Amino acid sequence: MGKASVTLAAHLAMAEVPVSVVVDFENVTDKLYRIDLTAANTKLTTEIVDDADSFGDWITTQLTDNQCRYAIGGYLENRTVYSRKQLFGANDDEPRSVHLGVDIWAAAGTIVRAALDGAVHSFNDNAGNGDYGPTIILQHEVNGLKLYSLYGHLNRKSLQKIQVGQQVHAGQKIAEFGIPDENGNWPPHLHFQLILDMQGKQGDFPGVCKPSEKTGYLEIIPDPNLLLNFLPEDYK
């Protein structure tokens, strides 16, 4: 566990903090399907990932075949399948491939909820192939610890009435999953990431880093699973 995760875990243990699921997961009826986007998944090629329709069909097949509403995965995965995307440095000696958040894959329009009480820190439409598309960042205080949560790949409607400083409550609907044409050209999903230091950034923060940068990011990027709190029995 990285330093940021240890810090967040310690502050969460100090006193009870209201924490909400970020999607409407019902543990009585729902199961999560684990998605592996590393090189170990030989069925998922870079050609599939490079094409939004093919990638979307692949995700839909996994959900349908496993009778799940949601697929999930990603924290610290070395997603070498990203290596051909220009956004992640396809022509660099060391492309960005280590995923810093958790992805939750589901249908477009799926409701996104605030994980904790807090306020809107910033938001932006990070347009561009492979980028976040519409993005919201919330600011929280967890027993004296300043924490930020990032919600990426939303629909544009999610940004229409939002304001910086706007108060939000754990469990409050803040957004919806976007379609590929508005979410950076990805199959519908939520990129959920926690951050301890925004480093002056507004409405955006790296969600993927170079393998050589991983240790440094572990100083400021906690494991989102500390808030998601899914149990082993929640997985398919």
Side-chain angles (χ1 to χ4, degrees):
M1 187 180 290
K3 180 179 178 181
S5 296
V6 171
T7 299
L8 177 57
H11 282 262
L12 287 169
M14 287 179 185
E16 185 174 343
V17 175
V19 179
S20 169
V21 292
V22 297
V23 294
D24 290 335
F25 177 82
E26 300 289 344
N27 58 10
V28 175
T29 56
D30 280 325
K31 292 292 183 182
L32 296 165
Y33 180 69
R34 295 183 189 272
I35 290 281
D36 179 0
L37 299 186
T38 70
N41 186 351
T42 57
K43 295 180 180 180
L44 185 63
T45 65
T46 54
E47 288 78 14
I48 291 175
V49 174
D50 283 349
D51 182 81
D53 290 337
S54 297
F55 195 9
D57 289 344
W58 186 86
I59 294 288
T60 299
T61 298
Q62 311 314 304
L63 292 172
T64 302
D65 288 353
N66 290 280
Q67 299 181 328
C68 293
R69 272 203 297 169
Y70 304 105
I72 190 170
Y75 181 62
L76 300 186
E77 276 190 344
N78 188 14
R79 294 180 170 178
T80 52
V81 290
Y82 285 176
S83 62
R84 292 193 348 189
K85 289 189 175 290
Q86 293 300 318
L87 180 71
F88 303 118
N91 298 323
D92 296 346
D93 292 337
E94 185 187 15
R96 294 189 295 135
S97 60
V98 178
H99 194 252
L100 299 174
V102 164
D103 285 335
I104 301 176
W105 308 84
T110 294
I111 290 173
V112 178
R113 301 189 183 279
L116 300 163
D117 292 344
V120 176
H121 170 270
S122 54
F123 57 92
N124 190 50
D125 187 351
N126 297 294
N129 187 39
D131 214 325
Y132 287 132
T135 309
I136 295 173
I137 299 174
L138 304 181
Q139 180 174 323
H140 318 277
E141 185 173 309
V142 180
N143 293 314
L145 176 70
K146 188 174 289 186
L147 175 70
Y148 304 89
S149 57
L150 182 151
Y151 308 78
H153 306 297
L154 311 175
N155 60 19
R156 292 201 171 99
K157 184 174 69 173
S158 301
L159 304 185
Q160 288 179 356
K161 297 182 180 180
I162 196 169
Q163 295 182 342
V164 171
Q166 177 182 333
Q167 296 296 304
V168 298
H169 303 290
Q172 178 180 331
K173 177 183 175 180
I174 59 168
E176 297 175 355
F177 286 23
I179 60 173
D181 284 349
E182 58 189 352
N183 79 353
N185 207 35
W186 296 98
H189 74 289
L190 172 71
H191 176 95
F192 177 63
Q193 183 169 322
L194 301 179
I195 307 160
L196 297 186
D197 181 0
M198 284 296 298
Q199 300 179 332
K201 295 179 174 61
Q202 300 282 324
D204 192 13
F205 199 89
V208 183
C209 73
K210 297 178 181 180
S212 63
E213 298 172 334
K214 176 181 171 180
T215 300
Y217 274 104
L218 286 175
E219 299 281 312
I220 61 170
I221 304 293
D223 185 348
N225 293 295
L226 291 170
L227 292 188
L228 294 174
N229 281 326
F230 290 122
L231 302 172
E233 56 264 33
D234 293 331
Y235 292 86
K236 183 77 175 181

Coordinates of all heavy atoms in Angstrom, one line a residue, residues 90-179:
A90 N 2.4 7.6 -27.3 CA 2.6 6.4 -28.2 C 4.0 6.5 -28.8 O 4.6 5.4 -29.1 CB 1.6 6.3 -29.3
N91 N 4.5 7.7 -29.1 CA 5.8 7.8 -29.8 C 7.0 8.0 -28.8 O 8.1 8.2 -29.3 CB 5.8 8.9 -30.8 CG 4.7 8.7 -31.9 OD1 4.6 7.5 -32.3 ND2 4.0 9.7 -32.4
D92 N 6.7 8.0 -27.5 CA 7.7 8.3 -26.5 C 8.5 7.0 -26.2 O 8.0 5.9 -26.5 CB 7.1 8.8 -25.2 CG 6.5 10.2 -25.4 OD1 6.8 10.8 -26.5 OD2 5.7 10.6 -24.6
D93 N 9.7 7.1 -25.7 CA 10.4 5.9 -25.3 C 9.7 5.2 -24.1 O 9.8 4.0 -24.0 CB 11.8 6.4 -24.8 CG 12.7 6.9 -25.9 OD1 12.4 6.5 -27.0 OD2 13.6 7.6 -25.6
E94 N 9.0 5.9 -23.3 CA 8.2 5.3 -22.2 C 6.8 5.9 -22.2 O 6.5 6.9 -21.5 CB 8.9 5.6 -20.9 CG 8.2 4.9 -19.7 CD 8.8 5.3 -18.4 OE1 9.5 6.3 -18.3 OE2 8.5 4.6 -17.4
P95 N 5.9 5.2 -22.9 CA 4.5 5.7 -22.9 C 3.9 5.6 -21.4 O 4.3 4.8 -20.6 CB 3.8 4.7 -23.8 CG 4.8 4.1 -24.6 CD 6.0 4.1 -23.8
R96 N 2.9 6.4 -21.2 CA 2.1 6.3 -20.0 C 1.2 5.1 -20.0 O 0.4 5.0 -21.0 CB 1.3 7.6 -19.7 CG 2.1 8.8 -19.5 CD 1.3 10.0 -19.0 NE 0.4 10.5 -20.1 CZ -0.9 10.8 -19.9 NH1 -1.4 10.7 -18.7 NH2 -1.7 11.2 -20.9
S97 N 1.3 4.2 -19.0 CA 0.5 3.0 -19.1 C -0.1 2.6 -17.7 O -0.9 1.7 -17.7 CB 1.3 1.9 -19.7 OG 2.4 1.6 -18.9
V98 N 0.4 3.2 -16.6 CA 0.0 2.7 -15.3 C -1.3 3.5 -14.9 O -1.2 4.8 -14.8 CB 1.1 2.9 -14.2 CG1 0.5 2.5 -12.8 CG2 2.3 2.1 -14.6
H99 N -2.4 2.9 -14.7 CA -3.7 3.5 -14.5 C -3.8 3.9 -13.0 O -3.6 3.0 -12.1 CB -4.8 2.5 -14.8 CG -6.1 3.1 -15.0 ND1 -7.1 2.9 -14.0 CD2 -6.7 4.0 -15.9 CE1 -8.2 3.6 -14.4 NE2 -8.0 4.2 -15.5
L100 N -4.2 5.1 -12.7 CA -4.2 5.6 -11.3 C -5.5 5.7 -10.7 O -5.6 6.0 -9.5 CB -3.6 7.0 -11.3 CG -2.1 7.1 -11.8 CD1 -1.7 8.6 -12.0 CD2 -1.2 6.4 -10.9
G101 N -6.6 5.3 -11.4 CA -7.9 5.3 -10.8 C -8.5 3.9 -10.9 O -7.9 2.9 -11.3
V102 N -9.8 3.9 -10.6 CA -10.7 2.7 -10.8 C -11.7 3.0 -11.9 O -12.3 4.1 -11.9 CB -11.4 2.2 -9.5 CG1 -12.5 1.2 -9.8 CG2 -10.3 1.6 -8.6
D103 N -11.8 2.1 -12.9 CA -12.9 2.3 -13.9 C -14.1 1.4 -13.5 O -13.9 0.2 -13.2 CB -12.3 1.9 -15.3 CG -11.4 2.9 -15.9 OD1 -11.5 4.1 -15.5 OD2 -10.6 2.5 -16.7
I104 N -15.3 2.0 -13.7 CA -16.5 1.3 -13.5 C -17.2 1.4 -14.9 O -17.6 2.5 -15.3 CB -17.4 1.8 -12.4 CG1 -16.6 1.7 -11.1 CG2 -18.7 1.0 -12.3 CD1 -17.3 2.3 -9.9
W105 N -17.4 0.2 -15.5 CA -18.0 0.2 -16.9 C -19.5 -0.2 -16.8 O -19.9 -1.1 -16.1 CB -17.3 -0.8 -17.7 CG -15.8 -0.7 -17.8 CD1 -14.9 -1.2 -16.8 CD2 -15.0 0.0 -18.7 NE1 -13.6 -0.8 -17.2 CE2 -13.7 -0.1 -18.3 CE3 -15.3 0.7 -19.9 CZ2 -12.6 0.5 -19.1 CZ3 -14.3 1.3 -20.6 CH2 -13.0 1.1 -20.2
A106 N -20.3 0.6 -17.4 CA -21.8 0.3 -17.4 C -22.4 1.1 -18.6 O -21.7 1.8 -19.4 CB -22.4 0.7 -16.1
A107 N -23.7 1.1 -18.7 CA -24.4 1.8 -19.8 C -24.3 3.3 -19.7 O -24.2 3.9 -18.6 CB -25.9 1.4 -19.7
A108 N -24.3 3.9 -20.9 CA -24.4 5.4 -20.9 C -25.6 5.9 -20.2 O -26.6 5.2 -20.2 CB -24.4 5.9 -22.4
G109 N -25.5 7.0 -19.4 CA -26.6 7.5 -18.7 C -26.6 7.0 -17.2 O -27.4 7.5 -16.4
T110 N -25.7 6.0 -16.9 CA -25.6 5.5 -15.5 C -25.4 6.7 -14.6 O -24.5 7.5 -14.8 CB -24.5 4.5 -15.4 OG1 -24.9 3.3 -16.2 CG2 -24.3 4.0 -14.0
I111 N -26.1 6.7 -13.5 CA -26.0 7.8 -12.5 C -24.6 7.7 -11.7 O -24.2 6.6 -11.3 CB -27.1 7.8 -11.5 CG1 -28.4 8.2 -12.3 CG2 -26.9 8.7 -10.3 CD1 -29.7 8.1 -11.4
V112 N -24.0 8.9 -11.5 CA -22.8 9.0 -10.8 C -23.1 9.8 -9.5 O -23.7 10.8 -9.5 CB -21.7 9.7 -11.5 CG1 -20.4 9.9 -10.7 CG2 -21.4 9.0 -12.8
R113 N -22.7 9.3 -8.3 CA -22.9 9.9 -7.1 C -21.6 10.3 -6.4 O -20.6 9.7 -6.6 CB -23.7 9.0 -6.2 CG -25.1 8.6 -6.8 CD -26.0 7.8 -5.8 NE -27.2 7.4 -6.5 CZ -28.3 8.2 -6.7 NH1 -28.2 9.5 -6.2 NH2 -29.3 7.7 -7.3
A114 N -21.7 11.4 -5.6 CA -20.6 11.8 -4.8 C -20.2 10.8 -3.7 O -21.1 10.3 -3.0 CB -20.9 13.2 -4.1
A115 N -18.9 10.5 -3.6 CA -18.5 9.5 -2.6 C -18.6 10.0 -1.2 O -18.8 9.2 -0.3 CB -17.1 9.0 -3.0
L116 N -18.4 11.3 -1.0 CA -18.3 11.9 0.3 C -18.9 13.3 0.3 O -19.1 13.9 -0.8 CB -16.8 12.1 0.7 CG -15.9 10.9 0.8 CD1 -14.4 11.3 0.8 CD2 -16.2 10.1 2.1
D117 N -19.3 13.8 1.5 CA -19.7 15.2 1.6 C -18.5 16.1 1.1 O -17.3 15.7 1.3 CB -20.0 15.6 3.0 CG -21.2 14.9 3.5 OD1 -22.0 14.3 2.7 OD2 -21.4 14.8 4.8
G118 N -18.8 17.2 0.5 CA -17.7 18.1 0.1 C -18.3 19.2 -0.8 O -19.4 19.6 -0.6
A119 N -17.4 19.7 -1.7 CA -17.8 20.8 -2.5 C -17.1 20.7 -3.9 O -16.1 19.9 -4.0 CB -17.4 22.2 -1.9
V120 N -17.7 21.3 -4.9 CA -17.1 21.2 -6.2 C -15.8 22.0 -6.2 O -15.8 23.2 -6.0 CB -18.0 21.8 -7.3 CG1 -17.4 21.8 -8.7 CG2 -19.3 21.0 -7.3
H121 N -14.7 21.4 -6.5 CA -13.4 22.0 -6.6 C -13.2 22.7 -8.0 O -12.8 23.8 -8.1 CB -12.2 21.0 -6.4 CG -10.9 21.5 -6.7 ND1 -10.3 21.4 -7.9 CD2 -10.0 22.2 -5.9 CE1 -9.1 21.9 -7.9 NE2 -8.8 22.4 -6.7
S122 N -13.5 21.9 -9.0 CA -13.3 22.4 -10.4 C -14.0 21.4 -11.4 O -14.3 20.3 -11.0 CB -11.9 22.5 -10.7 OG -11.1 21.3 -10.5
F123 N -14.1 21.8 -12.6 CA -14.7 20.9 -13.6 C -14.2 21.4 -15.0 O -13.9 22.6 -15.2 CB -16.2 20.9 -13.6 CG -16.9 22.2 -13.7 CD1 -17.3 22.7 -14.9 CD2 -17.2 23.0 -12.5 CE1 -17.9 23.9 -15.0 CE2 -17.8 24.2 -12.6 CZ -18.2 24.7 -13.9
N124 N -14.3 20.5 -16.0 CA -13.8 20.9 -17.3 C -14.2 19.8 -18.3 O -14.4 18.7 -17.9 CB -12.3 21.1 -17.4 CG -11.8 21.7 -18.6 OD1 -12.3 22.7 -19.0 ND2 -10.8 21.1 -19.3
D125 N -14.4 20.2 -19.5 CA -14.6 19.3 -20.6 C -13.3 19.0 -21.3 O -12.8 19.8 -22.1 CB -15.7 19.8 -21.6 CG -16.0 18.8 -22.7 OD1 -15.4 17.7 -22.7 OD2 -17.0 19.0 -23.5
N126 N -12.6 18.0 -20.9 CA -11.3 17.6 -21.4 C -11.5 16.9 -22.7 O -11.3 15.7 -22.8 CB -10.5 16.8 -20.4 CG -10.3 17.6 -19.1 OD1 -9.5 18.6 -19.1 ND2 -10.9 17.2 -18.0
A127 N -11.9 17.6 -23.7 CA -12.2 17.0 -25.0 C -10.9 16.5 -25.7 O -9.8 17.0 -25.4 CB -12.9 18.0 -25.9
G128 N -11.0 15.5 -26.5 CA -9.9 15.0 -27.2 C -9.9 13.5 -27.2 O -10.3 12.9 -26.2
N129 N -9.4 12.8 -28.2 CA -9.4 11.4 -28.3 C -8.6 10.8 -27.2 O -7.4 11.0 -27.0 CB -8.9 10.9 -29.6 CG -9.0 9.4 -29.8 OD1 -10.0 8.8 -29.5 ND2 -8.0 8.8 -30.4
G130 N -9.2 9.9 -26.3 CA -8.5 9.3 -25.3 C -8.5 10.0 -23.9 O -8.1 9.5 -22.9
D131 N -9.0 11.3 -23.9 CA -9.0 12.1 -22.7 C -10.3 11.8 -21.9 O -11.1 10.9 -22.2 CB -8.9 13.6 -23.1 CG -8.2 14.4 -22.1 OD1 -8.2 14.0 -20.9 OD2 -7.5 15.3 -22.5
Y132 N -10.4 12.5 -20.8 CA -11.6 12.3 -19.9 C -12.9 12.8 -20.4 O -14.0 12.3 -19.9 CB -11.4 13.1 -18.6 CG -10.3 12.6 -17.6 CD1 -9.4 13.5 -17.1 CD2 -10.3 11.3 -17.2 CE1 -8.5 13.0 -16.1 CE2 -9.4 10.8 -16.3 CZ -8.5 11.7 -15.7 OH -7.6 11.3 -14.8
G133 N -12.9 13.7 -21.4 CA -14.2 14.3 -21.7 C -14.6 15.1 -20.5 O -13.8 15.6 -19.7
P134 N -15.9 15.3 -20.3 CA -16.4 16.1 -19.1 C -16.0 15.4 -17.8 O -16.1 14.2 -17.6 CB -18.0 16.0 -19.3 CG -18.2 15.9 -20.7 CD -17.0 15.0 -21.2
T135 N -15.4 16.3 -16.9 CA -14.8 15.9 -15.7 C -15.2 16.8 -14.5 O -15.2 18.0 -14.7 CB -13.2 15.9 -15.8 OG1 -12.9 15.2 -17.0 CG2 -12.5 15.3 -14.6
I136 N -15.5 16.1 -13.4 CA -15.8 16.9 -12.2 C -14.8 16.5 -11.1 O -14.6 15.3 -10.9 CB -17.2 16.6 -11.7 CG1 -18.2 17.2 -12.8 CG2 -17.5 17.3 -10.4 CD1 -19.7 16.8 -12.5
I137 N -14.3 17.4 -10.4 CA -13.4 17.2 -9.2 C -14.1 17.8 -8.0 O -14.4 19.0 -8.0 CB -12.0 17.7 -9.4 CG1 -11.4 17.1 -10.7 CG2 -11.1 17.5 -8.2 CD1 -10.0 17.6 -11.1
L138 N -14.2 16.9 -7.0 CA -14.8 17.4 -5.7 C -13.7 17.5 -4.6 O -12.7 16.8 -4.7 CB -15.9 16.4 -5.2 CG -17.1 16.2 -6.1 CD1 -18.0 15.2 -5.5 CD2 -17.8 17.5 -6.5
Q139 N -13.9 18.4 -3.7 CA -12.9 18.5 -2.6 C -13.6 18.1 -1.3 O -14.8 18.5 -1.0 CB -12.5 20.0 -2.5 CG -11.5 20.2 -1.3 CD -11.0 21.7 -1.3 OE1 -10.7 22.2 -2.4 NE2 -10.8 22.2 -0.2
H140 N -12.9 17.3 -0.4 CA -13.5 16.8 0.8 C -12.5 17.0 1.9 O -11.3 17.3 1.7 CB -13.8 15.3 0.7 CG -14.4 14.9 -0.6 ND1 -15.7 15.0 -0.9 CD2 -13.8 14.4 -1.8 CE1 -15.9 14.5 -2.1 NE2 -14.8 14.2 -2.7
E141 N -13.0 16.9 3.2 CA -12.2 16.8 4.3 C -12.5 15.6 5.1 O -13.7 15.4 5.5 CB -12.4 18.1 5.2 CG -11.4 18.1 6.4 CD -11.4 19.4 7.2 OE1 -11.3 20.4 6.6 OE2 -11.6 19.3 8.4
V142 N -11.5 14.7 5.3 CA -11.7 13.5 6.0 C -11.0 13.5 7.3 O -9.7 13.2 7.3 CB -11.3 12.3 5.1 CG1 -11.5 10.9 5.8 CG2 -12.0 12.3 3.8
N143 N -11.6 13.9 8.4 CA -11.0 14.0 9.7 C -9.7 14.7 9.6 O -8.6 14.3 10.1 CB -10.7 12.5 10.2 CG -12.0 11.8 10.6 OD1 -12.9 12.4 11.2 ND2 -12.2 10.6 10.2
G144 N -9.8 15.9 9.0 CA -8.6 16.8 8.9 C -7.7 16.6 7.7 O -6.8 17.4 7.4
L145 N -8.0 15.6 6.9 CA -7.2 15.4 5.6 C -8.0 15.9 4.4 O -9.1 15.6 4.2 CB -7.0 13.9 5.4 CG -6.3 13.4 4.2 CD1 -4.8 13.8 4.2 CD2 -6.5 11.9 3.9
K146 N -7.3 16.8 3.7 CA -7.9 17.3 2.4 C -7.7 16.2 1.3 O -6.7 15.7 1.1 CB -7.2 18.6 2.0 CG -7.9 19.3 0.8 CD -7.2 20.6 0.5 CE -7.5 21.7 1.6 NZ -7.0 23.0 1.3
L147 N -8.9 15.9 0.7 CA -8.9 14.8 -0.2 C -9.8 15.3 -1.4 O -10.8 16.0 -1.3 CB -9.6 13.6 0.4 CG -9.8 12.4 -0.6 CD1 -8.5 11.7 -1.0 CD2 -10.8 11.4 0.1
Y148 N -9.4 14.9 -2.6 CA -10.1 15.3 -3.8 C -10.5 14.0 -4.5 O -9.8 13.0 -4.5 CB -9.2 16.1 -4.8 CG -8.6 17.3 -4.2 CD1 -7.4 17.3 -3.5 CD2 -9.3 18.5 -4.3 CE1 -6.9 18.4 -2.9 CE2 -8.8 19.7 -3.7 CZ -7.6 19.6 -3.0 OH -7.1 20.7 -2.4
S149 N -11.7 14.0 -5.1 CA -12.2 12.9 -5.9 C -12.5 13.3 -7.3 O -13.1 14.4 -7.5 CB -13.4 12.2 -5.2 OG -14.5 13.1 -5.1
L150 N -12.0 12.6 -8.3 CA -12.2 12.9 -9.7 C -13.1 11.9 -10.4 O -13.0 10.7 -10.2 CB -10.8 12.9 -10.4 CG -10.8 13.3 -11.9 CD1 -9.4 13.9 -12.2 CD2 -11.0 12.1 -12.8
Y151 N -14.1 12.5 -11.1 CA -15.1 11.7 -11.9 C -14.9 12.1 -13.3 O -15.3 13.2 -13.7 CB -16.5 12.0 -11.3 CG -16.6 11.9 -9.8 CD1 -16.1 12.9 -9.0 CD2 -17.2 10.8 -9.3 CE1 -16.2 12.8 -7.6 CE2 -17.3 10.7 -7.9 CZ -16.8 11.7 -7.1 OH -16.9 11.6 -5.7
G152 N -14.4 11.1 -14.1 CA -14.2 11.4 -15.5 C -15.0 10.6 -16.5 O -15.6 9.5 -16.1
H153 N -15.1 11.0 -17.8 CA -15.9 10.3 -18.8 C -17.4 10.5 -18.6 O -18.2 9.6 -18.9 CB -15.5 8.9 -18.9 CG -14.0 8.6 -19.1 ND1 -13.3 9.1 -20.2 CD2 -13.1 8.0 -18.3 CE1 -12.0 8.8 -20.1 NE2 -11.9 8.1 -18.9
L154 N -17.8 11.7 -18.2 CA -19.2 12.0 -18.0 C -19.9 12.5 -19.3 O -19.2 12.6 -20.3 CB -19.3 13.1 -16.9 CG -18.5 12.8 -15.6 CD1 -18.5 14.0 -14.7 CD2 -18.9 11.5 -14.9
N155 N -21.2 12.7 -19.2 CA -21.8 13.4 -20.3 C -21.8 14.9 -20.2 O -21.6 15.4 -19.1 CB -23.2 12.9 -20.5 CG -24.2 13.1 -19.4 OD1 -23.9 13.9 -18.5 ND2 -25.3 12.4 -19.3
R156 N -21.9 15.6 -21.2 CA -21.8 17.1 -21.2 C -22.9 17.7 -20.4 O -22.7 18.8 -19.8 CB -21.8 17.6 -22.6 CG -20.5 17.2 -23.4 CD -20.2 18.1 -24.5 NE -18.9 17.8 -25.0 CZ -18.7 17.0 -26.1 NH1 -19.7 16.6 -26.8 NH2 -17.4 16.8 -26.5
K157 N -24.1 17.1 -20.3 CA -25.2 17.6 -19.5 C -24.7 17.7 -18.0 O -25.2 18.6 -17.3 CB -26.4 16.6 -19.6 CG -27.6 17.1 -18.9 CD -28.8 16.2 -19.2 CE -28.6 14.8 -18.5 NZ -29.8 14.0 -18.7
S158 N -23.8 16.9 -17.6 CA -23.3 16.9 -16.2 C -22.7 18.2 -15.8 O -22.6 18.6 -14.6 CB -22.4 15.8 -15.9 OG -22.9 14.5 -16.2
L159 N -22.2 19.0 -16.8 CA -21.5 20.2 -16.5 C -22.4 21.5 -16.7 O -21.9 22.6 -16.4 CB -20.3 20.4 -17.5 CG -19.2 19.3 -17.4 CD1 -18.1 19.6 -18.3 CD2 -18.8 18.9 -16.0
Q160 N -23.6 21.3 -17.1 CA -24.5 22.4 -17.4 C -24.8 23.3 -16.2 O -24.9 24.6 -16.4 CB -25.7 22.0 -18.1 CG -25.5 21.5 -19.5 CD -26.7 21.0 -20.2 OE1 -27.8 20.9 -19.6 NE2 -26.6 20.6 -21.5
K161 N -25.1 22.8 -15.1 CA -25.6 23.6 -14.0 C -24.7 23.5 -12.7 O -25.0 24.0 -11.7 CB -27.0 23.1 -13.6 CG -28.0 23.3 -14.6 CD -29.4 22.8 -14.2 CE -30.4 23.0 -15.3 NZ -31.8 22.6 -14.8
I162 N -23.5 23.0 -12.9 CA -22.5 22.9 -11.8 C -21.8 24.2 -11.6 O -21.5 24.9 -12.5 CB -21.6 21.7 -12.1 CG1 -20.9 21.3 -10.8 CG2 -20.6 22.0 -13.2 CD1 -20.1 20.0 -10.9
Q163 N -21.4 24.5 -10.3 CA -20.6 25.7 -10.0 C -19.5 25.3 -9.0 O -19.7 24.5 -8.1 CB -21.5 26.7 -9.4 CG -22.6 27.3 -10.3 CD -23.5 28.4 -9.6 OE1 -23.5 28.5 -8.4 NE2 -24.2 29.2 -10.4
V164 N -18.4 26.0 -9.2 CA -17.3 25.8 -8.3 C -17.7 26.3 -6.9 O -18.4 27.3 -6.7 CB -16.0 26.7 -8.7 CG1 -15.0 26.7 -7.6 CG2 -15.5 26.1 -10.0
G165 N -17.4 25.5 -5.9 CA -17.8 25.8 -4.5 C -19.2 25.3 -4.1 O -19.6 25.3 -2.9
Q166 N -19.9 24.8 -5.1 CA -21.2 24.2 -4.8 C -21.1 23.0 -3.8 O -20.3 22.1 -4.0 CB -21.8 23.7 -6.1 CG -23.2 23.0 -6.0 CD -23.6 22.5 -7.4 OE1 -23.3 23.1 -8.4 NE2 -24.4 21.5 -7.4
Q167 N -21.9 23.0 -2.8 CA -21.9 21.9 -1.8 C -22.5 20.7 -2.3 O -23.5 20.7 -3.0 CB -22.5 22.4 -0.5 CG -21.9 23.6 0.2 CD -20.5 23.2 0.7 OE1 -20.3 22.3 1.4 NE2 -19.5 24.0 0.2
V168 N -21.9 19.5 -2.0 CA -22.5 18.2 -2.3 C -22.5 17.3 -1.1 O -21.7 17.5 -0.2 CB -21.8 17.6 -3.5 CG1 -21.8 18.4 -4.8 CG2 -20.3 17.3 -3.1
H169 N -23.4 16.3 -1.1 CA -23.5 15.4 0.0 C -23.2 14.0 -0.5 O -23.5 13.7 -1.7 CB -24.9 15.5 0.6 CG -25.2 16.8 1.1 ND1 -24.6 17.4 2.2 CD2 -26.1 17.7 0.7 CE1 -25.2 18.6 2.4 NE2 -26.1 18.8 1.5
A170 N -22.7 13.2 0.3 CA -22.4 11.8 0.0 C -23.7 11.1 -0.5 O -24.7 11.2 0.1 CB -21.9 11.0 1.2
G171 N -23.6 10.5 -1.7 CA -24.8 9.9 -2.3 C -25.6 10.8 -3.2 O -26.5 10.3 -3.9
Q172 N -25.3 12.0 -3.3 CA -26.0 13.0 -4.2 C -25.6 12.7 -5.6 O -24.4 12.5 -6.0 CB -25.6 14.4 -3.8 CG -26.3 15.5 -4.7 CD -25.9 16.9 -4.3 OE1 -25.6 17.1 -3.1 NE2 -25.9 17.8 -5.2
K173 N -26.6 12.7 -6.5 CA -26.3 12.6 -7.9 C -25.6 13.8 -8.4 O -26.0 14.9 -8.2 CB -27.6 12.4 -8.7 CG -27.3 12.3 -10.2 CD -28.6 12.3 -11.0 CE -28.3 12.3 -12.5 NZ -29.6 12.3 -13.4
I174 N -24.4 13.6 -9.1 CA -23.6 14.7 -9.6 C -23.4 14.7 -11.1 O -23.1 15.7 -11.7 CB -22.3 14.8 -8.9 CG1 -21.4 13.5 -9.1 CG2 -22.4 15.1 -7.4 CD1 -20.0 13.7 -8.7
A175 N -23.7 13.5 -11.7 CA -23.4 13.3 -13.1 C -24.0 12.1 -13.7 O -24.6 11.3 -13.0 CB -21.8 13.4 -13.3
E176 N -23.7 11.8 -15.0 CA -24.1 10.6 -15.6 C -22.9 10.2 -16.6 O -22.1 11.0 -17.0 CB -25.3 10.8 -16.5 CG -26.6 11.1 -15.7 CD -27.8 11.5 -16.6 OE1 -27.6 11.5 -17.8 OE2 -28.9 11.7 -16.0
F177 N -22.8 8.9 -16.8 CA -21.9 8.4 -17.8 C -22.1 8.9 -19.2 O -23.3 9.0 -19.6 CB -21.9 6.8 -17.9 CG -21.4 6.0 -16.8 CD1 -21.3 6.6 -15.5 CD2 -21.0 4.7 -16.9 CE1 -20.8 5.8 -14.4 CE2 -20.6 4.0 -15.9 CZ -20.5 4.5 -14.6
G178 N -21.1 9.3 -19.9 CA -21.2 9.8 -21.3 C -21.1 8.7 -22.3 O -20.7 7.6 -22.1
I179 N -21.5 9.1 -23.5 CA -21.3 8.2 -24.7 C -19.9 8.5 -25.3 O -19.3 9.6 -25.0 CB -22.4 8.5 -25.7 CG1 -22.4 9.9 -26.2 CG2 -23.8 8.1 -25.2 CD1 -23.4 10.2 -27.4

